[in-house]
Amino acid sequence: MGFLRVMMPPKFQLLALLAFGVAMLLIENQIQKLEESRASLERTIARHEVAEVEQRHSEDSGRDPSSLSDREDMVIIYNRVPKTASTSFTNIAYDLCGKNRFHVLHINTTKNNPVMSLQDQVRFVRNVTSWREMKPGFYHGHVAYLDFSKYGVKGKPMYINVVRDPIERLVSYYYFLRFGDDYRPGLRRRKQGDRKTFDECVSSGGSDCAPEKLWLQIPFFCGHHSECWNVGSRWALEQAKYNLVNEYLLVGVTEELEDFIMILEAALPRFFKGATELYRTGKKSHLRKTTEKKPPTKETIAKLQQSNIWKIENEFYEFALEQFQFVRAHAVREKDGELYVLAQSFFYEKIYPKVN
């Protein structure tokens, strides 16, 4: 090479280096393509081996792999928190249940009491786990979390839920009690006729906008322990966090409802296949908006934020939001302003013993 540098003019030396560089890039590109082809071939072989193992296991056990009971035995419980877009989301399930062949059941408690008596807890657990005619099933209602493992039953349902900024949730609920929504506009509401704004309520120290009314999302996730309903309890906060992480498949936020639906569809297509498209392009019959709602002033928000109850409820909301954003970051990607679900990123290999 030193001899060539002496004999060749500088222009030709530069051309030779460029040619060498291009050749190396081409070689690296071919190597990369070969590596990708090898990985694709390995995944194909692995899938084939897994299918053969499953087929052999099915033949040994006398079962048809296409009729595995776990898919049809699935139960989801959506213990919906009031005024978190829960009706909007639930109506999507109602729109899909016929097409996707699952059952939707509303848990209607007396006076919307989220706490069940012990005997009702036992009845409910027995119904959900043994009512085979209603499986696969999607149960929804304003009910506090219930730990099925306490009742000696086999299998547990999957919990999902949605949370909302605590003050925005309370404001929405305040106006809902007075003016209703566009879902059932003719229905008379409990506080109908009271035209006092939320700001006026806070300013005058009204009970319907008191900080204690913020205490709802934590007890819904905490459950049926007495301490869960002790307003401002930090034990309840920690229990709610524990349940959110360990007992819920997914908890979304109202402000990012479409992303929540997209991830659910990817994780549970048995129930939610077509949900994202329905949410985006449907007639929006599932959407529900509170009537006459007026945003609170900065002064009103600041006054509520002075409360220790708000601080604890907001801590839970921020915890839920961070967890949801973590799940989303590992489930979807953004491209050209659109979100799309990531494809499966794992496969099985080196499966032994080999199938003859």
Side-chain angles (χ1 to χ4, degrees):
M1 191 70 183
F3 176 74
L4 287 174
R5 279 199 298 268
V6 173
M7 297 297 294
M8 293 176 62
K11 183 184 293 186
F12 289 106
Q13 290 182 28
L14 180 60
L15 288 173
L17 286 172
L18 286 173
F20 179 75
V22 170
M24 290 301 296
L25 286 174
L26 290 172
I27 292 172
E28 288 181 1
N29 185 50
Q30 290 299 318
I31 292 174
Q32 184 178 354
K33 287 183 177 180
L34 287 171
E35 286 292 327
E36 292 174 353
S37 298
R38 181 189 63 81
S40 176
L41 180 60
E42 287 180 345
R43 287 193 293 270
T44 301
I45 294 172
R47 283 194 294 266
H48 179 68
E49 289 179 338
V50 169
E52 287 185 330
V53 170
E54 289 178 343
Q55 180 66 29
R56 182 177 60 183
H57 177 73
S58 172
E59 291 172 353
D60 291 343
S61 59
R63 294 186 302 174
D64 179 0
S66 65
S67 62
L68 294 177
S69 62
D70 56 348
R71 281 170 55 85
E72 302 307 310
D73 202 41
M74 195 180 298
V75 172
I76 295 173
I77 295 181
Y78 173 33
N79 64 315
R80 40 193 281 202
V81 180
K83 304 315 296 177
T84 57
S86 62
T87 299
S88 299
F89 173 63
T90 301
N91 282 347
I92 291 178
Y94 276 112
D95 288 343
L96 291 173
C97 65
K99 179 180 178 181
N100 291 348
R101 302 186 312 282
F102 65 91
H103 302 275
V104 181
L105 301 90
H106 178 216
I107 311 162
N108 190 349
T109 60
T110 304
K111 296 183 179 179
N112 286 327
N113 186 358
V115 177
M116 290 183 176
S117 66
L118 182 61
Q119 57 270 33
D120 275 348
Q121 293 176 40
V122 174
R123 293 185 188 108
F124 178 66
V125 170
R126 187 185 303 127
N127 288 156
V128 170
T129 54
S130 62
W131 198 0
R132 299 198 62 84
E133 291 81 5
M134 289 295 110
K135 293 182 181 180
F138 179 93
Y139 291 76
H140 68 95
H142 298 314
V143 180
Y145 168 76
L146 199 60
D147 181 7
F148 275 57
S149 64
K150 292 171 54 177
Y151 303 90
V153 295
K154 294 181 180 179
K156 294 170 63 175
M158 287 186 290
Y159 273 91
I160 61 172
N161 216 325
V162 177
V163 296
R164 187 176 186 178
D165 175 273
I167 292 179
E168 289 184 5
R169 193 205 65 79
L170 179 59
V171 171
S172 182
Y173 188 63
Y174 178 88
Y175 285 107
F176 173 74
L177 289 180
R178 285 153 178 79
F179 302 102
D181 55 30
D182 57 2
Y183 184 62
R184 289 185 291 179
L187 185 65
R188 183 175 179 82
R189 300 297 173 176
R190 181 152 49 95
K191 296 285 184 174
Q192 189 168 327
D194 178 8
R195 303 195 66 84
K196 184 185 295 183
T197 67
F198 187 80
D199 289 327
E200 292 169 344
C201 178
V202 172
S203 178
S204 62
S207 59
D208 284 347
C209 55
E212 289 77 12
K213 296 294 185 180
L214 292 166
W215 189 257
L216 193 66
Q217 297 187 131
I218 286 175
F220 259 71
F221 279 80
C222 180
H224 278 70
H225 306 284
S226 62
E227 187 65 17
C228 295
W229 299 89
N230 185 2
V231 177
S233 167
R234 291 208 66 87
W235 182 91
L237 167 65
E238 296 306 320
Q239 185 64 38
K241 287 181 177 179
Y242 176 88
N243 288 342
L244 185 150
V245 171
N246 293 282
E247 304 297 340
Y248 283 78
L249 174 71
L250 183 66
V251 176
V253 293
T254 303
E255 297 79 1
E256 299 170 9
L257 188 62
E258 181 177 329
D259 298 356
F260 170 73
I261 293 170
M262 181 185 296
I263 296 171
L264 273 181
E265 180 175 356
L268 299 172
R270 176 67 184 81
F271 285 81
F272 298 107
K273 183 179 180 181
T276 308
E277 185 70 13
L278 177 63
Y279 181 83
R280 288 175 175 172
T281 64
K283 295 180 180 179
K284 305 297 183 184
S285 60
H286 51 276
L287 296 182
R288 176 177 182 175
K289 294 182 180 179
T290 301
T291 307
E292 300 285 340
K293 184 169 64 176
K294 297 179 176 64
T297 63
K298 292 181 180 179
E299 292 75 18
T300 296
I301 294 173
K303 187 172 182 179
L304 286 172
Q305 289 177 342
Q306 293 174 3
S307 164
N308 188 56
I309 298 170
W310 173 82
K311 292 174 183 177
I312 296 177
E313 269 280 347
N314 193 63
E315 181 179 337
F316 177 72
Y317 169 74
E318 294 289 346
F319 179 83
L321 176 61
E322 182 180 359
Q323 174 65 14
F324 176 69
Q325 291 177 339
F326 176 82
V327 172
R328 184 180 61 185
H330 290 79
V332 300
R333 287 290 182 272
E334 184 175 351
K335 184 177 182 182
D336 299 328
E338 293 288 334
L339 290 177
Y340 65 94
V341 177
L342 292 176
Q344 182 171 315
S345 60
F346 74 93
F347 64 96
Y348 303 102
E349 61 179 4
K350 300 177 182 177
I351 301 172
Y352 289 88
K354 295 292 185 180
V355 178
N356 295 327

